Amino acid sequence: MSAPPSELASPTRPSRVIERPSRYRRLDRLRGSRIGRALRQYGEDVLRPPQGAVPVERGSFTRVLLLWAVARAVNFGFLWGFYSIAKGARWGFGPDSERLGTFFDYLTGWDADRYGQIAAQGYPMSLPMNVSGDILPNNWAFLPVFPGLVRVLSDATGLGWQPIAVLLSLGASLGATWLLFLLLRTVTKPQPAWWAVVFFSFAPMSFLFVIGYSEGLFMALMFGAMLLAIKRMYLWILPIGLVTAYTRPGVLALGLALGIVFLVRFLRRRVDPFPVREWASLMVTGGTIAIAGLSWNHIAQYVTGTHNAYIRTELGWWLDYVGNDAFTPFTPWFRQAGTHLGVVGIVLVIALIIAFLALMWSRPVRRLGLMVVSYAFSYGVYILAVFLPQQSTFRLLMPMAPMMADERWSSTPRRRAAILVGCLVLQVVAILLLWTRGNP
């Protein structure tokens, strides 16, 4: 009689189960969770090659040039209209009803006039103060590239600083428009890219492109740097970033965006090679831009002999709103809202932050790619960290124009028409309230 099967089977050792450390098990659970899947999907969308992007067609510059010319003609038309109304009604200029001079005086008022002073006289060696020891608004708040160019071009041509400032702003706005077009055509489909440039050209604050301000030059430099970053030409960004750092505040957002790109590319180096040449140039460029973005305060301090001269100068504009306490990053929005609206204001600021994060999380935005998303997020963080919200908020948000390539803005003809009409109506309102009759 044969033995039972169990007795015939040769004895075997029990298999040894290797248990993963607890930290790996927690990581696996996180990856499999709803949050983990959402984060993974977000990363895939941001890092996915552009969907529907095609090479720029021949003749595109002519098309953009025509758009730019029409938009600037509209700007000049609206400004001339309000200038004529103000002269006829004897309004004066601004909330203090200053005497309204020539049309060039009108186009070079406010900050533009300070650029003219810097071009002619340089920066003050001492800073104005009130009886409480607070530093009052002064020309150290305005960076030197734009007035320096005005001075050089004025000396070379023999023209006054006012027409030179307006012409420089016009030329820079053309560069910004074209570079924005190239940037967006690199990351998205032709239709949303084109309409983003249209909205940018007719935006409510686009009249800044025909007055003597540095906004157009700043955006041309920033959009050019972003385009180079997308093409991974990181070392070429360095000279552009250095010029941007002394054009107007905001280059720290570019430095942070490049830092995010560096981190993402480093973490993905096994699937997306990150050679030494690229990571070294990206690190040097981002670090140098960050240092340059922080240097103006030290330069002003050295020249004037006043501690934190630039920061305290910027705080001089806060006196009428929240007083002139010491600056603490990420508090200005809460200070402004809390001072004037109390708890309701704080809640509104928190709601704005949540709305911004939700916008950055949305799929149409994330599909604009790593550089655009990193820059938009970084610029939003910069505005929250250092800026006191008031009437200047609208013009300071203009460098976030690449976000207008979100395809939801241009998805239907009715929506495109409504946004364009809204831009024109709000531009009229802005020229009246934020230039002719009020502070910009």
Side-chain angles (χ1 to χ4, degrees), residues 46-64:
V46 168
L47 297 169
R48 179 180 297 147
Q51 303 295 303
V54 296
V56 173
E57 303 86 355
R58 180 180 297 179
S60 293
F61 180 76
T62 302
R63 188 181 177 202
V64 171

Side-chain angles (χ1 to χ4, degrees), residues 77 91 98 101 110 127 159 203 226 248 261 299 338 340 344 356 389:
W91 280 352
E98 299 178 3
W110 301 112
L127 303 180
L159 295 174
M226 292 173 64
R248 66 176 306 280
V261 171
I299 294 171
H340 299 285
V344 174
F356 174 73

Side-chain angles (χ1 to χ4, degrees), residues 238 241-242 245-246 251 281-295:
L238 181 55
L242 289 175
Y246 301 105
V251 78
S281 59
L282 182 53
M283 180 181 292
V284 169
T285 297
T288 304
I289 287 174
I291 293 171
L294 297 170
S295 67

Side-chain angles (χ1 to χ4, degrees), residues 366-380:
R366 67 175 86 160
R367 284 177 174 169
L368 295 176
L370 176 61
M371 187 60 210
V372 172
V373 170
S374 298
Y375 168 77
F377 172 77
S378 300
Y379 195 82

Side-chain angles (χ1 to χ4, degrees), residues 13-245:
R13 294 182 180 180
S15 60
R16 183 179 179 184
V17 178
I18 301 176
E19 188 172 342
R20 288 164 61 85
S22 60
R23 64 178 182 274
Y24 290 113
R25 294 199 301 273
R26 288 195 297 268
L27 185 60
D28 290 339
R29 285 197 297 270
L30 177 61
R31 287 172 176 168
S33 68
R34 185 175 180 179
I35 294 176
R37 292 194 300 271
L39 289 173
R40 189 163 59 250
Q41 182 62 56
Y42 185 90
E44 291 175 359
D45 287 338
V46 168
L47 297 169
R48 179 180 297 147
Q51 303 295 303
V54 296
V56 173
E57 303 86 355
R58 180 180 297 179
S60 293
F61 180 76
T62 302
R63 188 181 177 202
V64 171
L65 178 63
L66 180 61
L67 170 67
W68 170 86
V70 172
R72 300 297 74 81
V74 169
N75 296 151
F76 271 123
F78 286 159
L79 286 163
W80 176 259
F82 276 109
Y83 171 75
S84 300
I85 292 171
K87 289 285 282 188
R90 299 181 180 179
W91 280 352
F93 185 51
D96 298 328
S97 294
E98 299 178 3
R99 187 183 69 84
L100 189 63
T102 67
F103 188 51
F104 269 125
D105 293 331
Y106 178 72
L107 295 179
T108 54
W110 301 112
D111 294 356
D113 186 59
R114 291 184 177 272
Y115 286 131
Q117 295 172 19
I118 296 168
Q121 306 164 10
Y123 290 92
M125 300 297 291
S126 59
L127 303 180
M129 294 187 182
N130 62 17
V131 293
S132 301
D134 300 317
I135 293 178
L136 299 175
N138 64 83
N139 290 346
W140 277 102
F142 303 91
L143 300 176
V145 168
F146 191 84
L149 289 173
V150 168
R151 175 65 179 269
V152 170
L153 293 174
S154 182
D155 289 345
T157 62
L159 295 174
W161 76 268
Q162 290 178 317
I164 289 295
V166 171
L167 289 171
L168 181 58
S169 181
L170 273 169
S173 72
L174 175 58
T177 306
W178 175 241
L179 288 168
L180 178 64
F181 175 80
L182 294 179
L183 168 66
L184 297 180
R185 284 295 300 268
T186 305
V187 300
T188 192
K189 303 172 187 175
Q191 177 173 294
W194 171 253
W195 280 100
V197 176
V198 172
F199 300 148
F200 172 74
S201 299
F202 291 97
M205 298 303 293
S206 64
F207 69 91
L208 293 171
F209 295 144
V210 300
I211 63 178
Y213 269 37
S214 62
E215 265 72 6
L217 180 59
F218 177 80
M219 283 185 273
L221 294 167
M222 289 289 265
F223 298 158
M226 292 173 64
L227 183 60
L228 289 172
I230 291 171
K231 295 180 179 295
R232 299 186 173 181
M233 301 170 66
Y234 300 123
L235 204 57
W236 287 93
I237 301 173
L238 181 55
I240 296 175
L242 289 175
V243 175
T244 310

